[in-house]
Amino acid sequence: AQKVTQAQTEISVVEKEDVTLDCVYETRDTTYYLFWYKQPPSGELVFLIRRNSFDEQNEISGRYSWNFQKSTSSFNFTITASQVVDSAVYFCALSDYKLSFGAGTTVTVRA
Amino acid sequence: DGGITQSPKYLFRKEGQNVTLSCEQNLNHDAMYWYRQDPGQGLRLIYYSQIVNDFQKGDIAEGYSVSREKKESFPLTVTSAQKNPTAFYLCASSKGLAGTEETQYFGPGTRLLVL
């Protein structure tokens, strides 16, 4: 069985604050892949990042950064200096034999 | 421009009616998927297809049917047997099948409402 838990349902911040989204996963497999997607109000899911289970190196891409910790089965996502355009639902997903999504975290950035 | 298109953007279904949602991709991807999204929930897999003329049930296939006659197209029919069809439907594709390192890319979605 596999499971992805995004414990935060909604997060509201003021522009320029940092936002960290938590993702905890469960899988029995040793080889798996983790993803983050963004769903803006338009509805389309936008791919942000993919990591494999053998690569625990943290990654930074512009204002986005990801912290993968296999020991705690977590793959957290941070938006630095948030902007109004970051307002969206963010999904964490796990791929071992299929792709399973968490319930999503709604981020609202207020001007 | 490579991408995934879904039509229509909004679809209204009457009781007892079958409706078909279109999904087309020009990414030359082998695998295609249909997901259902309900408010406040993540995506749930309805059907997926790895190659032409082959498809598999996902977690919530009851009341839905699909076909894959062309690599580019993967239409979803919501049948009258689906008693609660109101949802946002997302189509996705990937170069290979999920369960590998392949990334799924998504279309803009179709919102289905029951009249």
Side-chain angles (χ1 to χ4, degrees), chain B residues 101-115:
Chain B
E101 71 274 17
E102 301 296 341
T103 298
Q104 292 185 26
Y105 296 93
F106 286 79
T110 292
R111 197 165 299 277
L112 177 61
L113 300 166
V114 177
L115 295 176

Side-chain angles (χ1 to χ4, degrees), chain A residues 45-101:
Chain A
L45 261 71
V46 178
F47 165 70
L48 296 177
I49 191 171
R50 178 188 73 205
R51 301 307 299 274
N52 71 56
S53 52
F54 298 106
D55 182 4
E56 290 192 67
Q57 206 169 21
N58 293 329
E59 182 163 338
I60 298 174
S61 176
R63 295 185 297 106
Y64 295 167
S65 62
W66 290 270
N67 182 5
F68 176 32
Q69 292 194 339
K70 210 167 174 179
S71 60
T72 56
S73 296
S74 65
F75 186 42
N76 297 337
F77 170 36
T78 297
I79 304 171
T80 302
S82 61
Q83 300 175 1
V84 173
V85 293
D86 295 326
S87 296
V89 183
Y90 291 85
F91 290 97
C92 180
L94 165 70
S95 176
D96 41 25
Y97 68 94
K98 68 169 190 175
L99 188 62
S100 293
F101 288 83

Side-chain angles (χ1 to χ4, degrees), chain B residues 16-76:
Chain B
Q17 186 182 40
N18 292 354
V19 292
T20 298
L21 285 61
S22 169
C23 177
E24 304 275 335
Q25 56 97 359
N26 61 4
L27 300 167
N28 199 31
H29 284 171
D30 290 315
M32 297 187 74
Y33 314 80
W34 274 105
Y35 291 91
R36 170 179 171 141
Q37 184 180 22
D38 293 284
Q41 297 188 32
L43 280 66
R44 293 183 291 168
L45 183 64
I46 304 173
Y47 268 98
Y48 64 97
S49 168
Q50 190 173 2
I51 56 172
V52 173
N53 292 323
D54 183 63
F55 47 83
Q56 304 295 329
K57 292 182 179 179
D59 299 320
I60 54 165
E62 187 174 348
Y64 300 98
S65 66
V66 294
S67 64
R68 185 90 186 273
E69 297 176 2
K70 297 187 301 182
K71 186 176 183 178
E72 303 79 21
S73 178
F74 191 41
L76 173 74

Side-chain angles (χ1 to χ4, degrees), chain B residues 90-106:
Chain B
L90 286 155
C91 178
S93 72
S94 64
K95 195 172 179 183
L97 191 64
T100 67
E101 71 274 17
E102 301 296 341
T103 298
Q104 292 185 26
Y105 296 93
F106 286 79

